[in-house]
Amino acid sequence: MVAVAAVLPVLLIVPSAAILPALFVVPSAFNRGMDVGSHESRRFKRKLVKSSYRYDVNNDGDLLLVPPKGVLVAPSAPLLSSQGNHQRTRTPTYRKIRNFFKAGTLDIPRISHSIVGLSSILVGLHHMFKVLLLSSFADVECTVRTILCTGCIHTFVGLLGVRRLHFKNKKEAARNAMFWPAPIQSLWLASVSLTEWGQGSGALISMGGSLFTAFTAFNVLLTVWQFSVILRKTGVRESNSSSNTSSNSTKQDSIWFKKSAHNAILVEFSYLLWMQIQMGTALYIATSAPLLHNFSSFMDAFPKMQYLLSNLALNTAFFNNLAVFLATLIRYKLVSKPENHNVAVFSLPLLSSIFIVWKVLSCFFLSYDGAMSSSFFSLIFKK
């Protein structure tokens, strides 16, 4: 009986002491004779927990969740990876928008520029919506007050933005050529609407004045210079150096297409051509006093022609500022750069211009049952 009583505790204790280390600690415990003490067991537990970096050392229940060393994988790793990818897609866009608004609110002049620029976009969109969709160029009355307010907004937004240009950066030469002439051109487009061009005999300024004629000629030359800069300072040019083939092509301006011809077509037919037509016609009329007198009488006889030319001039000034605003969005990477696959950037301005030209020509030829257009051509080409 004494022997049995001595053996039973050993049978009940030894298996649990031998199996537990074998299952939950290390398989190599069998090779050391199953005599691992409590100190050794705790040391192996800490070592195993330390290698996982995820479980509490004081909680032995966590050890049951530790997989073998070769297949140790965090259960939440796929979720964290997907969340990280989603966050990476959102963070750049948020950072771009934040940088854009931060650049527009750094100081008082920039805040003023942002407010006036937003006003120019809203006023221009409202005016374009009326003359293109709700009505037509020849039916929307364009008063002197409207011309003064709209023209001042479009002009001041360009003046406030000139100080932000980087004239020393050669890669932004084409962008600068678009930006700094904008207030000058907006001023001409607004002021010509106050002459016989938009008011007839009730003009506040005469087209035939020497100062205004010189101002008109200067604007015509300015548009020609802009076109030349776009041809020379945009696109990818082949360099003459043959030492390194990877550096044989250099991008002259970072916001344009690779071919300068595409850039010239885009800018010319978006807004430059329409300014050149208006400025050239006004300059042609202003150089002849009899022609200017007959033109004033013609405008009095057809009031819709006054609305047509005034609304067209204000809409052209808006499109000029809109092109500058689009270039700003591209610079802050809020709008993707023009690429070969980005058809919208290239075609949308051209399609908009074609639609506006169609609206203007329809008003010109259909008003007064065609009498207005025939009288205008006979006046211009009269010998």
Side-chain angles (χ1 to χ4, degrees), residues 103-116 160 163:
T105 57
L106 286 178
D107 48 27
I108 300 300
R110 291 200 177 196
I111 294 175
S112 303
H113 180 217
S114 300
I115 294 174
V116 179
L160 294 174
R163 63 183 293 270

Side-chain angles (χ1 to χ4, degrees), residues 12 47 62 64 68 73 116 126 144 190 192 199 204 210 221 236 245 247 249-250 281 292 325 335 339 368 372:
L12 293 176
K47 184 177 181 181
D62 285 342
L64 299 176
V73 180
V116 179
H126 178 262
V144 175
V192 76
Q199 303 299 322
L204 302 180
S210 57
L221 296 177
V236 177
T245 57
S247 61
S249 60
T250 57
T281 306
L292 179 59
F325 179 68
V335 176
E339 299 292 346
Y368 301 102
M372 185 177 74

Side-chain angles (χ1 to χ4, degrees), residues 12-13 47 58 72 111 114 118 180 201 234 281 346 352 381:
L12 293 176
I13 296 174
K47 184 177 181 181
N58 297 324
L72 186 60
I111 294 175
S114 300
L118 181 61
W180 70 260
S201 60
T234 64
T281 306
F346 185 78
S352 302
F381 298 106

Side-chain angles (χ1 to χ4, degrees), residues 3-39:
V4 173
V7 171
L8 283 178
V10 175
L11 293 176
L12 293 176
I13 296 174
V14 171
S16 61
I19 294 174
L20 283 176
L23 291 178
F24 302 120
V25 185
V26 287
S28 60
F30 289 101
N31 298 331
R32 293 202 296 265
M34 305 295 182
D35 58 349
V36 180
S38 59
H39 179 72

Side-chain angles (χ1 to χ4, degrees), residues 80-93 95:
L80 292 176
S81 178
S82 61
Q83 291 177 351
N85 294 333
H86 182 63
Q87 185 177 5
R88 282 193 295 269
T89 58
R90 292 189 306 171
T91 301
T93 303
R95 188 180 295 112

Side-chain angles (χ1 to χ4, degrees), residues 11 44 66 98 107 148 161 163 215 221 274 289-290 299 360:
L11 293 176
F44 281 110
V66 179
R98 184 185 63 184
D107 48 27
L148 289 175
R163 63 183 293 270
F215 187 41
L221 296 177
W274 319 123
M299 296 297 287
V360 171

